[in-house]
Amino acid sequence: MEKKLLHFTLNGDPKTVAVKPGRTLVQVLREDLGMTGTKRCCNSGACSSCSVLVDGQVVNACSVLACQVENKEVSTVEGVAEGGTLHPLQESFLDEGGLQCGFCTPGMIMAAQELLSRNLEPTAEDVRHQIAGNLCRCTGYVKIVNSILTAAKRMREAQS
Amino acid sequence: MMDFDVTSVKTLDEALKALSEYGDDAKVIAGGQSLLNILKQGLMAPEILVDIKGVAELDGLQIGASIRIGANTSHRTLEDASALDETWPVLREMEHDLASVQIRNWGTMGGNLCIADPTGDPAPVLMAYDAEAEIAGPEGKRRLPLEAFFVDYYETVLEPEELLTAVEAPAPPPRSGVAHEKFRNVEGDAPIVVAGVRLTLTEDHRRVEDVRIALGGVAPVPIRALEAEKVLRGQEPSDEALAEAAATAPGETAPIPDITASEAYKKKLVRVLVHRAAGRALERAKGT
Amino acid sequence: MKPYSVLGKPIRRVDGVEKVTGAAKYTVDVQLPGMLEGRIFRSPHPHAKILNVDVTKARALPGVKAVITAADTLKKPYGNWRRYEHLLDEYPLAWDKVRFIGDEIAAVAAVDEDVAEEALTLIDVEYELLPAVFDPVEAMKDGAPAIHEGATVDHNVSETRHIEYGDVDEAFSRCDRVREDEFTLHPVAHAAMEPHASVATTGFSGRVTIWTSTQVPYYIQILLAGALGLEEGKVRVIRPHVGGAWGGKIEMFKDQYCAARLSQMAGRPVRLEYTREEEFATTRRRTPMKYYLKTGYMKDGRLVAKEARTILDGGAYNGMGPTALYLTGFFQAFPYSIPNYRYNGYHVYTNKSPSSSMRGFGGPQAEFTCDSQLDMIAEDLGMDPAELRLKNSMTPGYEIPGYCKVASCGIQECIERSMESTGWREKRGKMPHGKGIGMGCYGFMSGGVFNWINTPYAFSGAMIRMGVDGFVDVYVGSSEIGQGSDTVMAQIAAEELGVPMDMVRVTSGDTSICPPDLGAWGSRQTLMTGNAVKMAAQDLREQLFEVARGMMMPNIVYAFEAKDGRIFLKERPKRGVDLFEVVKVAVRGQEGQQLIGRGFYTPHGKGMVSPAFSFGAQVSQVEIDLETGKVHMDQVTTAHDCGQVINELGVEGQLEGAFVMGQGYTLAENLVTEEGQVLNPSFVDYKLMRAPDVPVKFESLLVETFEPEGPFGAKEAGEGLTNPNAGCIANAIYDAVGVRIKDMPITPEKILKALEEKKAKEKA
Amino acid sequence: MKIEETFRVEAPVERVWDFMVNPKTMGPCVPGFVSAEEVSEDVFDTVMKVKVGIISLKMFARTQVEEKRVPEYMKASGDGHDRLKAGSFHQETTVSLKDLGDDATEVGYAMNVRVVGKLATFGEKIMRATANKMGAKIAENVKKALETKE
C-alpha cells in the first residue's frame, strides 16, 4: 500500500513521516522514528505498556492508527524529564521502588502523568483505577501506586 | 495483516459517499479499539477503511428532554460529563468502569455498539434507558430501538453503505431509578455478564409501574428480559418481588459457554445481577 | 544495629534512571543498520510426521533474504541437559515429526515484518497426521501414541524421580491417623512483559554476536555454539535489560537459534521477536501436576510420615520439567520436619507446548498441596493450623541425611510474627461467614548446588577493577532480569570496599567481558554471585591496603580498614588516606600496577539441593461474595527470612510481586488448551491480576537471621515467595465459607458450585 | 468444535444417500458454501466463505472420503486454510442414515472441526456461538432440498 505523509508533534517537535496507512502509532514511534522508550508488549490494547499521550489523553499506541494522529500532539516517556532533570513521577518511582524489570514503567508513567494532570490529590483508589489497564508482572502494583501517590504529594508541595 | 488504505472523511456526507462508493470492500473505523485487533489477526481484509473519527458533527452530547450521544463521542467524554448527573447518572457510572482509561480515551460509543460484542457494557444500560439508534444511509436517516439494532453475534442491522450516527435516550419517567451491574473475575477486564435495570414506581410508590431489564453476555446479542419485566410490573416493590423477577430472568437467556464461564454459571450470574440491579434501581426510584 | 553503611537499607536501583526515562535498551529495542525481520513457521498440528517441506515459493518472494529449515541445521538435539543426554529431545527445527501445535519447522528473514509474514504463507508442508494425546494419564496407558522414540522413554514417561528417607512404611503403621488427598494443578504462563527476542549478527570472521532476552547468557553461549557447530568463543551473548523472565528464559529458544542461523545465511543482522500469541502458545508453561498426598500423624499433631506421588504433564519436550519433577518432591517435605518421607514422580510427554521451570520450580505446587492438607489435618485434630505448623516446622541445624543441611532457619519466628501482626488468634474461625484468614508456609533454595551443562558444579565469578577515573567497576556473569541483582552486587561491593553506591558501576551479562556464571535461576544470584563479589572486593581491598601501607609507613603493623572512601588504621581512624589517592599512587606509581580483584564461588559438600534455604510464613485475609463466589483479597502479611537483608526495597518488591503472581495463579490465570490448541494466547483472554485486584493492605515483615554460607549472612528472596500463595489463599477461603477446592485454579464458579453442594448436603 | 445434528427427512434412504455423498448437492446446504470441484474419485476441493459477524474469510479445503457403507454410513476428512493463513482447520465428518420405513430417513450428521491459528484463538467464542446454529441450518437445508418434490 502507498505510503502517505503524516504530520504531528512529538514531545514538542514537529514531525513529518511517510507511513503506510495500516501502520499503528507504536510502530511509527519505535520502528520509523527509533523512539523505543514506548514499549510494545501485547499489541492488542490489553496491557497498556505502549501508553502515550495524544493531546494530553493517555491511549494505547498499539491501538491507534498512526494516520489518526495527524496534526495532534503526541508525548512519550522520552519527553517526561525536562531540561535534564527528572519529573517528580520518575523520582518517586525510584525512591518507592515502583519498578523492577522496567518494561511496563514507561506506560505506567504516562498513565500516571495523565491522572496527575487532572487531579493532584488522587486517592489510592483513584490511582489503582487509572492504571487498571496497565499490566505489571513484577511489582504487584503496590509500590507503583505508592510511587504515584508520593509524586502527587511532592507536586502539591512544590506548588504551595 | 494491516494492508489497507485509509480515507479520512470530515463530514457525514463524505462518509456516506465513501461507503456507497466502496461498498463491501470498506469498513468504518472510529476509535478502532476492537476493529484493529480483528484486522491485526487477519480475520477481515477490507480494501479500505473509512476513518470517521474526524467527523465533528458525529461527536458530542446534546442534553435536553432526551440525551443524544453522537456516535463519535468517546467513552471518556461521557465519563467526564457531569451534566449527566441530573438525569442519566448511570451512563457515567458505567463509563467510569468501562475497560481501561486508554481505551475510554480513544474508543467511541458508536464503535462499541457497532462491533456488537454482546458483553459490551453500554448496550444494556442504554437499553434500560430505552435508547434508540439513529442510522444514516443513502436513503436518509432511520431510527430503531437499540435492541433491534443487534442482529446476531458481532452483527448489526447496518448495511454496508449505512452508518450509526447517534444513540438517543429519553429522560426516565418520574419516580424512576436506574442501575447497572456487571460481573468479572478480574477488575479492569471485560465483563462476563452485564445487567441494566430501569424501574419506575407508581405515584403512591406502592407498585412497580414499569420496569426495563436489559442483559449483556448471555445471548448472541444484548437482550431484554421481558418475562422478568412482566413478573415485576404492577407488583409491590418488595424484595420478594425483585427476587422472583430475578429468578425468572435466567430462563430467558441462552448464554454461550466459553473459557471464562459455563452456561450454568452465567445463568446464575443473571439472577444475582438482575436482583442487585433491580434493588439499587428501586432504592433510587424511592429517593425521587 | 549492624555497622553497615549500604546494606539492609532501601536503596534505589542502579538501573532505575535509565528505566524511568525510557533510555533503557531491551533486546526488542536493539536496532542495527540493515537489520532484517525474522519470523518462524510453526506446525498447525499437535502430532504429525513431516513428509515434505517446500520453501521455494517463500525464497522467491522479493524482500526475503533467507529461509531455513531442518536441512540447514545440524539435526543435533540440544538443551540444558548436556550431562544427561537421554533427556535431550529437542531440535533447533523439527525434521522428523512435529509434537505440538506451534512446533518450529522453518524460519524466514525479510526486509520487513510484512514481507516476512507473507513469506510464511508461502511455505508448504506435507504432513502425515498421527494420533495425539493431551492428558498425561492417557499418555501413560498401553497403546497411547508414542510422542518420542527414546530408548529411555517408556509409555511416554521421559523421567522418573525417587526420594526416600526414614522408614516410611513402618512409620505409617504406627501413626494414629492417616490422611490421603488428591489435587490437580493447572498450567500458567510466565507472561513476562518483554517477549522472547533476539537480534543476531554474524561478522566476516564468522563470529556471531547475539543480543537476547535471557536469564542465562553463559548457557546460551554454549548451546548456541553447539547448535551452530562453532567454538564457544565464536559466539558472544549480550543480555541487555530484560523485561521479566521467571524461569521462562533459562533455556535456548528458537528465536535465538533462528536469528543467529538466519544472520549467518543472510549476512545481515536479523531480529526475531515473538508475538504475544507465540509467547503464550509456543514457549513454556508452569508444569501442570496431578498430586497424590498421604500423611500420617499422631493425635498430638506430630507429623510422622508422608508419601507423595506426582504425574507431570510435561508437554512435547522435557524443557526443565525433570528438575521441577525433583524439586516439587523435595520441597513437598518443606518447611516441616517429617522424619519419614517417600516421593515418586513421573514426567510424561503430551502433545502440548512444553512445561518447564517457572518461579518456584515445583515449589508452588508442592506448598499448595502440602498447606491445603495440613489445614485438613488440623481440622481433623481440632487444632489451630498455625499451631500445627509451629509444632512441626524445621529448626536451625535441621538435617535430611544425604539431602541437605539447614543452617539458618527463621520459620518459627516467621509464623509467630505473622500471627501477631494479623491478630490470627482473634480472627481464625471467628469471623462472620464469608470472611476468612489462612496461612501458608514455605522454604526454598538459595541457588541450586547442581548444574546441567558440562560440569556437575554450580559456579559464579566476579571481577572488580578500580581505576583512576574514580569509579569501582564490578563485572559479573549474573543476570539482572528485573529482580535487582545488579543493585545487590553493587551494594555488596560498596559495603566491602567502603565506598558510596554512586561510585560503583556494574557490568553484567556479556559473555565476552564478564566472568562465567550459571545465571539467574533457582534464586542463586544473591548467595552465589554475591559471595563471588564479596571475595573479589576483599581481594581488591587487600591490594589497596598494601599500597596504603607503603604510603603511610606505620612504624608498627596495624590493621587497616576501608570506609566512607578512606583507608585508615583500625585503631587510629584519624590516620588515613583518601581511597582514590591510594588508587592513583598504585596505578600511576612507578610500578603502574593494576587494581583488579578476583572472586569466585562454588558450593561443595552442600548436599543435593542448595547450600542454604530461605523460609517464611504468609497470612492472607479474604472476603467472598456468597452469591457469585468471587474472592476479594483484603490483606496479606508475609514474614520472610532471607538472612541478612541486602536491599529492603528489593525484598519488599519481590514479596509483593510474588504474591500477586501467586494470586493470579490461584484465582484467575489458566492457560486453557483444547486438543492441544491454546485457546487464550493473549492478555485479553489470559487473565493477569490488575491494580484494583491486589490486596489493599500489604505487610512485609523481614525476619533477619544469619546464614553462614551467604554473603553478609544473606539468602534468597525471589522464587520461594511464590510458593505459599495458593495454599494460604485456599486456606483463607476455607475459613471463610468452609469449602475446600483441590483443583486449581480456584475460580468463583468452582467456589459457588462447592457452596451449593455444601448447602445441599447440610439439608440432607 | 463439534457440529452435531440428528433429524428426520421425508425421503427414501437411497435418495438421501445420493444427495449427501455428493458435494455438488450437499455443499450448498452448508452455510457459506461457494464451490466444490472433484479432483479425483472421492477427493474434492471446496471453497467456503465463512462469515461470522465481523469475521469474513475465504476458506480453501480438500476433502477426502475415507469410508463408505452404502447407503448408511460415510466418513470424510479434510484440511483447509484461509487466504492469509490466519487460520487452518482439520475436519472429520460422519454421516449415518437410518431407514425409518415409509420413505423416511433419520440422518445423523456429525462434524468435528479443529481450527488452529488466530482464527481459533480469536474467533473461538464467535465460532462456538455459531456452531449450533450451523448444524441446525444444515439440517434445515437438507430437509428443504430433499422434501420438495422435484
Side-chain angles (χ1 to χ4, degrees), chain B residues 1-2 37 41 183-190 259-262 264-265 268-269 271-273 275-276, chain C residues 114 117-118 277 625 627-628 630 667-668 672 679-680 684-685 687-690 692-693 748-749 752 756:
Chain B
M1 248 167 283
M2 305 271 280
N37 283 346
Q41 304 284 328
F183 180 84
R184 48 189 182 182
N185 191 20
V186 174
E187 298 305 312
D189 186 22
I259 60 174
T260 65
S262 72
Y265 184 63
K268 288 175 196 163
L269 290 173
R271 189 187 60 72
V272 174
L273 297 191
H275 193 187
R276 288 178 181 179
Chain C
D114 293 352
E117 263 156 34
E118 194 181 343
E277 192 177 351
D625 181 331
E627 286 186 312
T628 65
K630 183 170 176 174
L667 300 176
V672 182
L679 294 181
N680 53 342
V684 177
D685 296 312
K687 314 296 186 187
L688 292 192
M689 291 288 118
R690 294 175 178 272
D693 296 298
E749 182 165 358
L752 192 63
E756 287 165 351

Side-chain angles (χ1 to χ4, degrees), chain C residues 369-383:
Chain C
T369 52
C370 173
D371 274 319
S372 297
Q373 196 184 48
L374 271 183
D375 268 41
M376 294 185 253
I377 289 171
E379 186 176 31
D380 172 44
L381 292 167
M383 230 178 134

Side-chain angles (χ1 to χ4, degrees), chain D residues 21-40:
Chain D
V21 293
N22 177 357
K24 294 250 187 247
T25 48
M26 181 60 195
C29 296
V30 181
F33 174 83
V34 177
S35 69
E37 295 307 324
E38 183 158 11
V39 188
S40 61

Side-chain angles (χ1 to χ4, degrees), chain B:
Chain B
M1 248 167 283
M2 305 271 280
D3 188 26
F4 45 72
D5 199 0
V6 177
T7 171
S8 301
V9 296
K10 292 275 162 281
T11 69
L12 179 55
D13 289 347
E14 284 175 37
L16 293 171
K17 219 176 273 109
L19 286 178
S20 42
E21 182 184 340
Y22 301 114
D24 235 349
D25 302 334
K27 287 274 174 215
V28 177
I29 183 168
Q33 297 302 283
S34 305
L35 185 72
L36 285 175
N37 283 346
I38 294 153
L39 289 166
K40 285 175 193 165
Q41 304 284 328
L43 298 175
M44 195 199 270
E47 298 291 317
I48 185 165
L49 293 188
V50 178
D51 170 17
I52 63 166
K53 206 168 197 305
V55 178
E57 66 201 275
L58 295 181
D59 194 356
L61 306 171
Q62 288 166 31
I63 300 171
S66 68
I67 178 171
R68 189 174 198 282
I69 305 167
N72 269 356
T73 310
S74 78
H75 297 290
R76 195 68 180 287
T77 306
L78 282 153
E79 180 186 7
D80 291 346
S82 50
L84 295 177
D85 292 351
E86 180 66 32
T87 317
W88 297 276
V90 181
L91 272 177
R92 276 190 84 184
E93 272 178 36
M94 176 274 292
E95 289 289 358
H96 181 67
D97 224 8
L98 178 141
S100 65
V101 63
Q102 288 86 352
I103 289 172
R104 294 198 296 276
N105 275 331
W106 203 253
T108 67
M109 176 60 91
N112 179 289
L113 296 172
C114 291
I115 282 287
D117 176 343
T119 63
D121 291 85
V125 171
L126 287 165
M127 280 158 64
Y129 273 118
D130 196 10
E132 281 190 333
E134 182 192 83
I135 296 167
E139 285 80 38
K141 292 195 169 173
R142 59 176 176 137
R143 298 169 72 92
L144 66 167
L146 189 57
E147 43 261 65
F149 178 72
F150 304 104
V151 185
D152 201 342
Y153 211 75
Y154 282 82
E155 240 176 314
T156 69
V157 296
L158 288 177
E159 297 297 330
E161 64 279 2
E162 284 186 318
L163 199 65
L164 177 73
T165 47
V167 276
E168 196 161 341
R175 304 179 307 278
S176 295
V178 180
H180 162 245
E181 285 279 340
K182 66 172 160 184
F183 180 84
R184 48 189 182 182
N185 191 20
V186 174
E187 298 305 312
D189 186 22
I192 296 171
V193 176
V194 189
V197 173
R198 188 185 79 182
L199 187 146
T200 309
L201 293 169
T202 52
E203 286 199 19
D204 56 11
H205 281 221
R206 288 263 188 74
R207 299 231 170 274
V208 176
E209 187 171 281
D210 187 29
V211 63
R212 296 174 62 87
I213 302 172
L215 299 168
V218 295
V221 296
I223 58 165
R224 290 268 301 281
L226 298 167
E227 291 307 312
E229 292 177 2
K230 270 208 208 90
V231 168
L232 200 51
R233 227 173 258 120
Q235 295 295 318
E236 260 180 46
S238 64
D239 187 61
E240 294 66 33
L242 299 187
E244 195 193 338
T248 311
E252 304 180 65
T253 65
I256 301 150
D258 55 37
I259 60 174
T260 65
S262 72
E263 179 177 357
Y265 184 63
K266 288 182 181 185
K267 282 179 178 253
K268 288 175 196 163
L269 290 173
V270 169
R271 189 187 60 72
V272 174
L273 297 191
V274 168
H275 193 187
R276 288 178 181 179
R280 283 174 52 219
L282 175 62
E283 286 318 302
R284 287 170 172 169
K286 284 180 180 163
T288 55

